[in-house]
Amino acid sequence: MSAQPLRTPPGRRAPAAALAPLLLALALALAAGPSPALARTVTDMAGRAVDIPERVERVICSGAGCLRLLTYLQAQGMAVAVDSVELRETAIETRPYGIANPQFKALPLFGELRGRDNPELIVGLDPAPQVIFKVMIAGESLDPDQLQAKTGIPVVVLEYGNLSAGRPLLDAALRLMGEVVHRAGRAEEVVALFDSWQADLAARTAGIPEDRRPWCYVGGISMKGTHGMQSTEPTYPPFRMAGARNVAHTQATEGRDQVRTGVPKEQIVAWDPEVLFLDVSSTSMGEDAGGLHELRTDPALSMLRAVRAGEVYGVLPYNSYHTNYGSIFANAYFVGKILHPGRFADVDPAATADAIYTALVGQPVFGRISRSFPGLVFARVPLR
């Protein structure tokens, strides 16, 4: 008889040798990494190539302003934990995105403010984030590569940008975050909102002669805490947008990013601005401190022509855990209304602020902020 090939009887397993090619193929597939259908690669704003899941539904936002951007993209529901800033109980809240989202206070903690993340807390989160967004702060934030190595979770670095020289970075951050969380269309909407408000302000102030643009000063600008009248912003965007000349602006600050700076009181007196604006967060320093107290009690400041003429006005705090962009635009419309009332005759500053906040964070929160500073926001400041 001719030899017949051996067959595995029914109900019995094939020899291990017969499975070897299948096992080898499986091992090679696993070594090659995730299937293209299950992962994608993005390049973050630190130039790092980061592999992320195809479908991202759970994230955390590390660093100042990061959760604000996620809220602008209407993706705040994806956040599964927050840093220590979001859990603070404060009598005064000036972050519109936080006011509009009280549910943040019920989320678990993943680390401290300004990007000081706790990898152990992060790996213990349930549900776990699929991506960590990180706004870097030099010298304070945990290195993104270290954070990724310690948690096993992809870290996407963002640059926060601003509405001055850093506007391209802001747009890029929104678009990158939108790409990761599948909100690319909303990212373009937010960029378009910023463009439309800037264009409207530019149109309203176009053609105003230089000598009809009043010299202005803004004091009490907050930055990692509250400050008095000597704290200012040489490139304060509302002044630029609303047709004002900033006495603190110099050729050296032209084109620079927004940055708070302190100036000597004697310099403010020498500038003698025509109109003064006070960031009302300064009043939270207490009755015997802050910009309003100084304006009321300091003999030198009381001699300023703006003070003597009663041309002192309160503007919204815009710098609370990084820049609140909606508050900057709202302030710009108010400043324009004060300096060029004819060109802003149709503007109700409070209603405009609420329209801006609703467009960005989904709720009209101006009243909640202004009630923390009774009679001061978008009003002539009582000096006596």
Side-chain angles (χ1 to χ4, degrees):
M1 292 177 63
S2 60
Q4 296 295 320
L6 293 175
R7 300 179 184 272
T8 302
R12 296 186 60 184
R13 295 180 178 178
L19 296 176
L22 294 175
L23 295 173
L24 177 60
L26 178 60
L28 290 173
L30 292 174
S35 163
L38 301 177
R40 53 197 166 113
T41 301
V42 297
T43 301
D44 72 8
M45 296 183 71
R48 302 162 60 251
V50 184
D51 294 327
I52 63 173
E54 178 62 30
R55 191 73 193 168
V56 174
E57 298 175 329
R58 302 182 307 279
V59 303
I60 58 175
C61 292
S62 168
C66 192
L67 188 56
R68 180 181 293 110
L69 298 183
L70 190 73
T71 301
Y72 286 176
L73 296 184
Q74 300 174 341
Q76 66 269 31
M78 295 184 180
V80 298
V82 293
D83 70 16
S84 59
V85 163
E86 309 302 337
L87 300 182
R88 289 178 176 173
E89 294 292 344
T90 59
I92 296 176
E93 177 59 84
T94 60
R95 292 171 298 124
Y97 77 94
I99 296 172
N101 292 279
Q103 74 276 10
F104 289 155
K105 292 190 181 300
L107 293 176
L109 178 74
F110 72 77
E112 295 302 311
L113 76 170
R114 302 193 187 107
R116 296 194 284 269
D117 312 303
N118 186 321
E120 292 184 4
L121 290 178
I122 293 173
V123 297
L125 292 172
D126 183 17
Q130 297 163 286
V131 169
I132 300 171
F133 289 113
K134 190 164 185 63
V135 171
M136 298 294 295
I137 298 179
E140 295 188 20
S141 300
L142 186 63
D143 178 82
D145 291 324
Q146 291 182 4
L147 181 60
Q148 186 165 304
K150 290 181 177 181
T151 62
I153 300 169
V155 176
V156 175
V157 175
L158 304 172
E159 292 279 353
Y160 194 73
N162 56 53
L163 293 174
S164 298
R167 174 64 197 275
L169 293 176
L170 169 58
D171 293 353
L174 288 165
R175 286 170 170 143
L176 175 57
M177 182 179 270
E179 177 185 357
V180 172
V181 300
H182 319 287
R183 295 290 193 279
R186 173 59 183 172
E188 295 305 324
E189 288 179 7
V190 176
V191 170
L193 283 170
F194 290 164
D195 286 342
S196 67
W197 294 327
Q198 287 187 299
D200 181 54
L201 288 159
R204 290 175 182 272
T205 58
I208 299 177
E210 195 70 10
D211 61 359
R212 294 188 58 195
R213 294 173 180 256
W215 285 107
C216 300
Y217 177 84
V218 59
I221 296 292
S222 58
M223 179 70 170
K224 295 183 179 179
T226 52
H227 304 275
M229 280 302 296
Q230 293 172 236
S231 175
T232 193
E233 168 57 80
T235 58
Y236 188 55
F239 285 175
R240 173 173 48 81
M241 296 176 184
R245 287 184 287 181
N246 190 339
V247 294
H249 183 273
T250 66
Q251 201 63 37
T253 60
E254 183 67 38
R256 289 178 55 190
D257 290 343
Q258 290 170 230
V259 58
R260 187 198 72 85
T261 188
V263 297
K265 179 176 62 177
E266 294 75 15
Q267 182 61 70
I268 302 174
V269 172
W271 283 329
D272 197 19
E274 298 171 70
V275 185
L276 270 174
F277 292 90
L278 173 67
D279 183 320
V280 296
S281 67
S282 182
T283 63
S284 63
M285 296 176 69
E287 292 185 2
D288 299 325
L292 181 55
H293 174 74
E294 294 165 2
L295 289 171
R296 286 173 170 172
T297 61
D298 189 291
L301 294 178
S302 68
M303 294 305 296
L304 294 171
R305 57 177 162 170
V307 175
R308 286 185 284 114
E311 292 294 313
V312 181
Y313 301 90
V315 289
L316 287 161
Y318 80 89
N319 204 2
S320 180
Y321 210 38
H322 226 314
T323 304
N324 291 288
Y325 292 118
S327 296
I328 282 186
F329 282 113
N331 282 343
Y333 278 99
F334 173 69
V335 171
K337 180 85 171 181
I338 295 300
L339 302 184
H340 309 292
R343 294 182 178 235
F344 288 79
D346 62 324
V347 171
D348 177 328
T352 299
D354 268 340
I356 290 169
Y357 290 139
T358 300
L360 292 178
V361 304
Q363 292 188 28
V365 300
F366 173 77
R368 170 73 182 275
I369 300 173
S370 63
R371 282 194 295 273
S372 296
F373 309 95
L376 295 177
V377 180
F378 293 174
R380 193 185 300 270
V381 172
L383 298 177
R384 292 174 179 82

